[in-house]
Amino acid sequence: MNSSRIKNGVEKAPHRSLLKALGLTDWEMERPFVGVVNSQNELVPGHMHLDQIAAAVKAGVRANGGTPLEWPSIAICDGIAMNHEGMRYSLASRELIADSIESMALAHALDALVLIPNCDKVVPGMLMAAARLNIPAIVISGGPMLAGRHQGQPIDLNSLFEGVGACMVNKITEAELAELEDRACPGCGSCSGMFTANTMNCLCEALGLALPGNGTIPAVSAARIRLAKQAGWQVMELVRSNLRPKEILTPQAFRNALTLDMALGGSTNTVLHLPAIAREAGLPLDLKMVDQVSQSVPNLCKLRPGGPYHIQDLDEAGGIPAVLNELLRHGLVQGEALTVTGRPLAENIRERQIARPEVIRTVADPHSPTGGLAILWGNLAPDGAVVKQSAVAPEMLVHTGPARVFNSEDEACAAIMGNQIRPGDVIVIRYEGPKGGPGMREMLTPTAAVAGMELDKEVALLTDGRFSGATRGASIGHISPEAAEGGPMCLVAEGDTIQIDIPKRQLNVLVSEEQLQQRRQQWTPPEPRVQSGYLARYARLVSSASQGAVLN
């Protein structure tokens, strides 16, 4: 056991004394030490109930012969951080989470980990740490929030962001917006659509590091508590068999995760996180692989923001096991991939059937023959860009329009809210990439405002930053290289014609190469927006979005 380094032998008497100061008995110290990493806090609604999840996990660990030792992780709520300086810290927090777990686990010689995340960057940060440390580990999320209800219809956080746009153009009143505000988020859990948090929690099942049900069992359900106890129990089985993350996080596992992502129509942010996790596992995963999978996997689910259903509907329909089993039946999932159950993925999912075919379609009757995400290339995105094509209106899959150029999200939001955007426009938001932002701000405010104004079928948005998993419409992000590093985005001028062709995977500015070179000679890199602190260090070290925005 790793923990023998801090508790065995005469020379470890001081260590044992400190452990006894925690209240540990001799017999507790004889057992494996299991770190329980809990991102519970009173700032993030997705995390406010995680103390209950942690208590259940610890009960499971103790019941199966381990000694659980809990410590906290930070967690940032993207919704609360949205559209102000706080959003610069969201993606950057992923690295802090991974580094802090590495520090705690190695400093205290732990034998295993149970990771309790729920929201956006916490899930990939913890998965990165699991791969890096490569000690037995299992993930148990806090589960999705239930959808709110308003006038007999389900609503969610995105209803508020779009409601702001609708209110700005007098489509709804401030009183109606206040009603939405009171009802959209009814309690704890990760926001209820197939946004980034829930996408990542679902992908944990396909990666094999979480038990079936991790992605969809509602946060308020007793089944979530039972699953947490099972996770605590199962981590001890992993300790006994010495089954480690890198034996699970294989090329087959990442292929399965991408396949599930495309079938679900998941968040574009997964194109940042899966490569980052794969890098920690020592495996390659690039945008070409992402698009290859997208071209071969049908889109089976239309969940918010791309459709009318929420995660609770997906759970009722059979959850992730039902989706994976349907894909397995058609040879699209590699069922031999090992999981934390100790069994291959195929054994975990084989009995699960689709219970609500309107929520989970079959491969024979998909929403589209290709996956929910698409990677675009062209003279505007030499290293690629990403769009959630399953949430794009059919009439916007191919679009040509004039560029409306803004050097920050704030400038773009002012123009949108000021009714300066016209049908047909292509909003270009640059200098918001990993370095230029810094932090690659997630921009739900402008996309939701456009949707709320009912312009999402007429206006496109492009950025070297990123969009929320809750975004819908022709919103193309992660354009690489980013403008701050001299990517073609920095050369686009107001009024340039932008050509988007999602089916053909093309994104171009219709300006001659000669003219672009003339503009490049006149271009000056902008001064860094942040000069000190963590974000300044992050900006110096972070790689391109096309590489997962990892730190070099």
Side-chain angles (χ1 to χ4, degrees), residues 97-307:
I97 291 163
D99 290 351
S100 65
I101 293 172
E102 174 195 349
S103 302
M104 287 291 287
L106 292 181
H108 300 98
L110 298 178
D111 299 303
L113 294 172
V114 180
L115 304 166
I116 308 176
N118 216 23
C119 293
D120 295 69
K121 312 312 163 293
V122 190
V123 185
M126 289 190 177
L127 289 170
M128 290 165 66
R132 185 186 303 174
L133 291 164
N134 201 33
I135 60 176
I138 193 168
V139 174
I140 169 65
S141 77
M145 184 185 294
L146 295 177
R149 300 286 296 179
H150 179 62
Q151 296 180 353
Q153 298 298 317
I155 58 172
D156 52 54
L157 180 66
N158 201 34
S159 306
L160 261 297
F161 278 98
E162 293 187 3
V164 170
C167 186
M168 294 295 293
V169 293
N170 299 315
K171 291 186 180 294
I172 64 172
T173 66
E174 288 188 27
E176 290 171 318
L177 184 64
E179 283 188 37
L180 290 173
E181 179 183 323
D182 287 342
R183 299 178 181 181
C185 299
C188 65
S190 47
C191 296
S192 56
M194 189 53 72
F195 313 144
T196 305
N198 288 325
T199 301
M200 290 304 304
N201 283 325
C202 289
L203 296 194
C204 287
E205 295 187 41
L207 284 170
L209 281 185
L211 297 174
N214 180 74
T216 62
I217 295 174
V220 296
S221 170
R224 175 63 55 178
I225 300 298
R226 295 196 296 271
L227 190 70
K229 289 179 182 177
Q230 291 166 7
W233 177 281
Q234 189 60 28
V235 77
M236 291 305 301
E237 298 299 308
L238 298 178
V239 170
R240 294 186 181 102
S241 64
N242 199 29
L243 180 56
R244 296 170 182 252
K246 285 186 179 178
E247 297 173 68
I248 294 170
L249 294 174
T250 62
Q252 291 83 3
F254 283 99
R255 181 89 183 189
N256 287 342
L258 283 172
T259 298
L260 176 64
D261 198 4
M262 299 306 164
L264 292 176
S267 166
T268 54
N269 283 313
T270 59
V271 179
L272 291 172
H273 300 323
L274 287 175
I277 299 162
R279 181 189 192 229
E280 297 289 354
L283 299 172
L285 196 164
D286 60 21
L287 294 185
K288 290 182 179 178
M289 180 179 176
V290 174
D291 201 50
Q292 178 190 27
V293 174
S294 177
Q295 296 277 17
S296 60
V297 176
N299 178 217
L300 305 184
C301 301
K302 285 281 191 182
L303 302 160
R304 286 278 289 163

Side-chain angles (χ1 to χ4, degrees), residues 445-457:
T445 298
T447 60
V450 167
M453 294 173 177
E454 299 183 359
L455 289 172
D456 56 301
K457 295 180 180 180

Side-chain angles (χ1 to χ4, degrees), residues 25 49 93 158 210 256 307 330 396 406 446 475 496 534 543:
T25 63
H49 65 303
S93 73
N158 201 34
N256 287 342
H330 292 82
M396 287 298 293
F406 304 97
S475 301
D496 283 352
Y534 173 55
S543 71

Side-chain angles (χ1 to χ4, degrees), residues 266-525:
S267 166
T268 54
N269 283 313
T270 59
V271 179
L272 291 172
H273 300 323
L274 287 175
I277 299 162
R279 181 189 192 229
E280 297 289 354
L283 299 172
L285 196 164
D286 60 21
L287 294 185
K288 290 182 179 178
M289 180 179 176
V290 174
D291 201 50
Q292 178 190 27
V293 174
S294 177
Q295 296 277 17
S296 60
V297 176
N299 178 217
L300 305 184
C301 301
K302 285 281 191 182
L303 302 160
R304 286 278 289 163
Y309 301 111
H310 290 84
I311 303 300
Q312 66 205 66
D313 298 301
L314 180 59
D315 191 59
E316 292 174 5
I320 299 308
V323 178
L324 288 172
N325 192 30
E326 174 63 15
L327 295 167
L328 178 68
R329 289 176 54 244
H330 292 82
L332 296 170
V333 162
Q334 301 187 42
E336 70 276 11
L338 197 57
T339 72
V340 288
T341 65
R343 302 187 300 272
L345 181 69
E347 291 187 25
N348 295 342
I349 63 177
R350 188 162 280 136
E351 301 303 317
R352 191 66 67 88
Q353 302 299 315
I354 297 172
R356 290 181 59 184
E358 76 278 15
V359 178
I360 305 173
R361 289 196 178 186
T362 64
V363 170
D365 181 33
H367 289 286
S368 71
T370 56
L373 302 182
I375 306 300
L376 310 185
W377 316 87
N379 72 348
L380 197 51
D383 293 344
V386 62
V387 62
K388 189 171 185 173
Q389 62 178 346
S390 60
V392 178
E395 53 265 51
M396 287 298 293
L397 291 172
V398 177
H399 180 76
T400 300
R404 302 296 309 281
V405 181
F406 304 97
N407 290 331
S408 70
E409 177 190 5
D410 308 272
E411 289 181 15
C413 285
I416 294 168
M417 300 299 186
N419 293 316
Q420 297 174 27
I421 302 302
R422 300 291 175 259
D425 284 350
V426 178
I427 300 169
V428 176
I429 307 174
R430 62 190 179 191
Y431 300 114
E432 289 287 4
K435 286 184 180 293
M440 204 178 183
R441 286 197 288 181
E442 186 174 273
M443 290 179 274
L444 180 56
T445 298
T447 60
V450 167
M453 294 173 177
E454 299 183 359
L455 289 172
D456 56 301
K457 295 180 180 180
E458 300 176 275
V459 169
L461 296 96
L462 313 181
T463 186
D464 53 4
R466 61 194 179 92
F467 292 119
S468 167
T471 290
R472 62 186 174 97
S475 301
I476 301 167
H478 308 196
I479 294 176
S480 301
E482 62 175 289
E485 293 213 294
M489 286 277 283
C490 75
L491 307 177
V492 178
E494 183 82 6
D496 283 352
T497 300
I498 305 292
Q499 188 176 68
I500 301 165
D501 192 328
I502 295 173
K504 291 184 178 179
R505 304 300 201 254
Q506 287 291 306
L507 177 63
N508 292 290
V509 55
L510 301 186
V511 175
S512 70
E513 186 60 32
E514 292 77 14
Q515 190 171 355
L516 290 176
Q517 286 303 324
Q518 290 176 8
R519 292 179 186 179
R520 183 170 297 282
Q521 292 172 6
Q522 299 171 355
W523 177 73
T524 302

